[in-house]
Amino acid sequence: MRLYRFRFSTNVERVTLAVADKGLEVESIWVDPNDRSPVEQVSGQRLVPLLEDDGRVIPDSTAILAYLEERYPDPPLYPRDEARRAEIELYIDWFNRVVKRPPNEIEAELLSEHPDDERIATSAAAMRANLDRHEALLAGRDFLFGDSFSAADCAAFPFLKYALICDREDDELFHRILDDYQNVELRPRLAAWIKRVNDRPRA
């Protein structure tokens, strides 16, 4: 199994959490973000993470999480119950479409010739609201969907961790935005969850 990855990639970290949780061995292929030819040669596209396993090539972190569960079901990252699995799949889709949108919008504004402060403020407010939703989701729970670590935690942690944890060597603008516009003030459950997940191994 090979994992093509960048340093500090949030989407790659999703996969490294899942691989480690399942106790799998993986060879890391470190890719220079300025030279993505190794990824293109294997997959015909430029994005990481990219997983090679048993003759299959799987791009996209969400697809990789689902593949790992199908190919290596134990220990599970999705519930066996059909309805509860659907809940986690819906959450991950919501996270990708809704939670990740405001910081991307802020990034686009900051990179524009004339950033719109009002749009930035609106997106920042949406980021805070999403943190509050996660604080509520963690009421009485160690992890996002109960007492067990799941694919939902893999999907959310690399983005929400910036509310508490930031590597100062990481200068990517998107990550600076996650750091600048997120915090755990008055969100003790979220802070405890970030620490709990951060203590888990990575591949």
Side-chain angles (χ1 to χ4, degrees):
M1 185 184 294
R2 291 181 175 181
L3 177 63
Y4 293 75
R5 59 196 297 185
F6 299 159
R7 191 182 183 202
F8 299 128
S9 168
T10 45
N11 286 320
V12 168
E13 189 173 14
R14 288 174 156 184
V15 175
T16 62
L17 282 163
V19 168
D21 187 71
K22 290 183 175 292
L24 301 172
E25 296 292 329
V26 65
E27 177 187 358
S28 291
I29 308 297
W30 293 95
V31 178
D32 181 348
N34 296 315
D35 178 12
R36 305 187 184 206
S37 57
V39 177
E40 291 183 274
Q41 290 169 6
V42 171
S43 66
Q45 55 88 55
R46 294 169 51 83
L47 302 179
V48 298
L50 178 72
L51 187 73
E52 279 190 292
D53 184 42
D54 197 24
R56 294 188 62 178
V57 177
I58 306 101
D60 183 80
S61 60
T62 302
I64 293 171
L65 292 179
Y67 168 79
L68 291 172
E69 186 73 1
E70 176 188 355
R71 182 72 174 81
Y72 307 98
D74 294 309
L77 281 172
Y78 292 82
R80 303 296 193 216
D81 178 79
E82 183 178 7
R84 293 203 62 231
R85 173 163 182 151
E87 289 173 351
I88 287 184
E89 290 172 338
L90 282 169
Y91 168 84
I92 294 173
D93 184 64
W94 169 79
F95 192 95
N96 288 339
R97 293 174 183 270
V98 176
V99 179
K100 291 174 65 176
R101 183 175 177 178
N104 278 306
E105 290 175 341
I106 292 174
E107 181 178 34
E109 286 299 326
L110 294 178
L111 291 174
S112 69
E113 186 175 353
H114 302 290
D116 185 321
D117 291 339
E118 185 174 343
R119 287 184 180 179
I120 291 173
T122 298
S123 294
M127 291 177 69
R128 292 192 297 272
N130 283 323
L131 292 181
D132 291 337
R133 292 186 183 100
H134 283 86
E135 176 72 12
L137 190 61
L138 287 161
R141 300 174 173 181
D142 284 342
F143 298 101
L144 292 177
F145 277 80
D147 295 329
S148 298
F149 182 73
S150 75
D153 301 285
C154 292
F157 172 79
F159 299 87
L160 300 184
K161 71 177 183 181
Y162 285 89
L164 184 66
I165 299 166
C166 182
D167 189 326
R168 291 303 164 188
E169 292 185 22
D170 179 2
D171 60 1
E172 185 175 328
L173 176 58
F174 181 71
H175 299 161
R176 298 272 63 77
I177 291 165
L178 294 176
D179 181 34
D180 291 343
Y181 292 92
Q182 295 186 124
N183 65 70
V184 294
E185 185 177 359
L186 302 179
R187 301 180 181 105
R189 299 172 197 141
L190 181 63
W193 172 80
I194 292 170
K195 292 175 184 176
R196 193 175 299 121
V197 178
N198 192 53
D199 286 340
R200 300 184 72 86
R202 320 287 201 281

